[in-house]
Amino acid sequence: MANCGEFIPPFLRLREGISPYDGVLDVVVLNANGFFQSAAVVLRMLLGLRSEGRRIHHLPGRQVKVETVEPRCVQLDGEPAGTTPFTAGVTPSGISIILP
């Protein structure tokens, strides 16, 4: 789940059109089982081939609820943040930043 579309700008983008300013969370589900399928998905992303299909799915939403059959650990920017289920949302223009 992301509010920004680039992990390693400009090389690794989840998808074109993901903006931190639009008030939408973007859920990108990568369906890969094992090393080779995972490498193939990452390669497709590096090459800009982000078509909807068997391996990459995109679901935008203002509020997203994640449920799993069994509780799973959740991370926010790499930090532990509880377990599933959880609900996430975004507030458009929810923060003001003042720069010199």
Side-chain angles (χ1 to χ4, degrees), residues 4-16 42-50:
C4 297
E6 295 180 331
F7 284 117
I8 306 171
F11 303 109
L12 186 54
R13 290 188 177 141
L14 288 176
R15 180 184 174 90
E16 292 295 326
V42 171
L43 181 61
R44 287 182 61 81
M45 292 177 73
L46 287 170
L47 294 174
L49 305 172
R50 294 167 191 85

Side-chain angles (χ1 to χ4, degrees), residues 39-74:
V41 168
V42 171
L43 181 61
R44 287 182 61 81
M45 292 177 73
L46 287 170
L47 294 174
L49 305 172
R50 294 167 191 85
S51 62
E52 307 301 310
R54 288 182 23 199
R55 301 269 180 235
I56 302 173
H57 305 278
H58 174 247
L59 305 158
R62 295 202 184 277
Q63 190 172 53
V64 178
K65 184 173 185 178
V66 176
E67 298 177 328
T68 55
V69 175
E70 295 182 21
R72 305 288 291 204
C73 294
V74 175

Side-chain angles (χ1 to χ4, degrees), residues 1-3 7 14 25-28 64-66 86 88-89:
M1 192 176 326
N3 195 27
F7 284 117
L14 288 176
L25 285 174
D26 293 273
V27 178
V28 178
V64 178
K65 184 173 185 178
V66 176
F86 72 91

Side-chain angles (χ1 to χ4, degrees), residues 64 81 84 89 98:
V64 178
T84 57
I98 301 172

